[in-house]
Amino acid sequence: MAHSTKPSARPATPERGAIWLGLAVLYTVWGSTYLGIAVAVETIPPFLMAAARFALAGVLLLGWVAVRRPESFRRPTRRELIDTSIVGALLLGGGMGMVAYGEQTIPSGIAALLIAMMPVWVAVLGRLAFHEQLPRLAVIGIVVGFVGVAVLVGPTALGASGALDAAGLVAILISPIAWSSGSLFATHRATLPRDPLVATGLQMVTGAGALAVMSIVTAEPGRFDPAAVSAPSAVAFLYLTIVGSIVAFTTFGWMIRVAPLPLVATYAYVNPVVAVILGAIVLREPIEPRTLVAGAVIVAAVALIVTARGRMTRPRAETSVTTPPGPSARPAAPAPSRSTSG
């Protein structure tokens, strides 16, 4: 999710093993959420699933803060509530909702590769809307990223063989744009609760409200049969809620305080690789040569942008943690990329 923080003393550096363990959690958990979403939406309507997931995760997170850190749990101001609702609607409604909808027909590995374009969209929209600096390396990364997308979706646009479902593809393409917009708004314009966990919990709850509206508009409640939910979908839902949202986010929040940001940011180009591999192994999703080529190009583009932005001098006074598109409600590394999701 996204939050703004004041400068604070950096905690003592923990053991290197603990940092690598945290990085492994980000790699595997966020990489596996694409698989989790694909399994969950097999028998649960996508917007309804996402709404329930984030409502539950948000309530649990806020409840934990209220019990463990009551001094941090204060009623948000009207401005904070409005801005939090906007961020939640963009990140979770537009970002996560579109991923869940798209993965009904788009393979999870391909969805992960397209969502990996998040840093590209942050760079583009940040430049257009907020005149953020774009180093030459980042510009190259943007061009390379769109070439990768063209390779991946070209057959669909041209109506050739190997085309993907058009509606699902559009939803997946919208997701990183919505997530990037929410991340940039959170960083540049929004006034959010000072405590990052409170801000994240409120974004989850308000985002769940937006997803619930999307579910009602698309008539999902009338089509949903709880008795028809399969055991794999139920397990995937719980995994996404507890591990994908809460465990991964708290790990990320700890990592950005104790580990070098360029190291943390490597999840942005490791996650899609993990997602493609898991989709092939568990769901038997085919990995075509076109997918491999497009994936390599997109991952290279993300690496270029993350590297370029990581080299830019930027104060740590403003960090935004946004939980993806990635699909995991994951945050993005503050300086190097879209604010992450995540």
Side-chain angles (χ1 to χ4, degrees):
M1 309 315 301
H3 66 264
S4 295
T5 59
K6 297 294 183 182
S8 58
R10 191 178 180 88
T13 302
E15 293 292 332
R16 179 175 298 180
I19 291 178
W20 283 107
L21 178 60
L23 202 59
V25 169
L26 299 186
Y27 287 170
T28 57
V29 171
W30 279 342
S32 66
T33 52
Y34 297 92
L35 171 65
I37 290 172
V39 175
V41 299
E42 287 178 350
T43 57
I44 306 175
F47 298 134
L48 186 62
M49 182 278 294
R53 168 193 173 186
F54 288 112
L56 180 57
V59 169
L60 288 175
L61 192 57
L62 290 173
W64 185 88
V65 175
V67 172
R68 298 296 299 270
R69 301 211 312 260
E71 71 282 356
S72 300
F73 195 81
R74 63 172 180 81
R75 181 177 179 179
T77 65
R78 183 173 179 271
R79 173 66 184 275
E80 288 175 344
L81 189 57
I82 291 174
D83 286 357
T84 297
S85 298
I86 293 172
V87 173
L90 288 170
L91 295 184
L92 303 184
M96 297 306 307
M98 290 296 103
V99 172
Y101 179 86
E103 282 203 45
Q104 293 178 109
T105 55
I106 302 298
S108 63
I110 290 179
L113 292 175
L114 292 173
I115 300 302
M117 285 285 289
M118 197 90 66
V120 175
W121 285 113
V122 166
V124 171
L125 297 177
R127 176 63 179 175
L128 293 176
F130 301 105
H131 308 292
E132 288 187 348
Q133 180 183 352
L134 275 184
R136 181 175 301 177
L137 192 61
V139 174
I140 295 173
I142 291 171
V143 174
V144 171
F146 283 119
V147 169
V149 171
V151 171
L152 199 56
V153 307
T156 303
L158 299 175
S161 61
L164 301 168
D165 174 71
L169 181 59
V170 169
I172 295 295
L173 291 173
I174 289 174
S175 173
I177 298 175
W179 194 284
S180 301
S181 300
S183 298
L184 288 166
F185 175 73
T187 303
H188 292 275
R189 292 286 185 268
T191 299
L192 304 174
R194 290 174 61 87
D195 187 278
L197 293 182
V198 172
T200 296
L202 286 176
Q203 287 165 29
M204 288 182 177
V205 171
T206 57
L211 286 161
V213 171
M214 296 164 71
S215 177
I216 293 171
V217 168
T218 55
E220 285 185 347
R223 303 193 310 267
F224 177 54
D225 180 8
V229 176
S230 67
S233 288
V235 171
F237 172 80
L238 292 175
Y239 176 81
L240 290 170
T241 302
I242 298 173
V243 181
S245 297
I246 298 176
V247 174
F249 168 76
T250 53
T251 300
F252 178 85
W254 174 75
M255 287 286 290
I256 62 172
R257 293 194 301 271
V258 302
L261 290 179
L263 177 64
V264 179
T266 57
Y267 81 83
Y269 36 92
V270 173
N271 287 167
V273 176
V274 172
V276 169
I277 293 173
L278 289 177
I281 294 174
V282 180
L283 300 179
R284 300 187 181 280
E285 295 175 350
I287 301 180
E288 301 175 352
R290 179 186 54 158
T291 303
L292 292 175
V293 172
V297 172
I298 290 173
V299 170
V302 172
L304 288 172
I305 292 176
V306 169
T307 300
R309 293 174 71 87
R311 291 174 179 174
M312 294 168 59
T313 302
R314 184 172 174 181
R316 294 184 62 91
E318 288 293 327
T319 65
S320 68
V321 178
T322 58
T323 160
S328 49
R330 66 173 173 274
S337 66
R338 64 181 181 279
S339 56
T340 304
S341 179

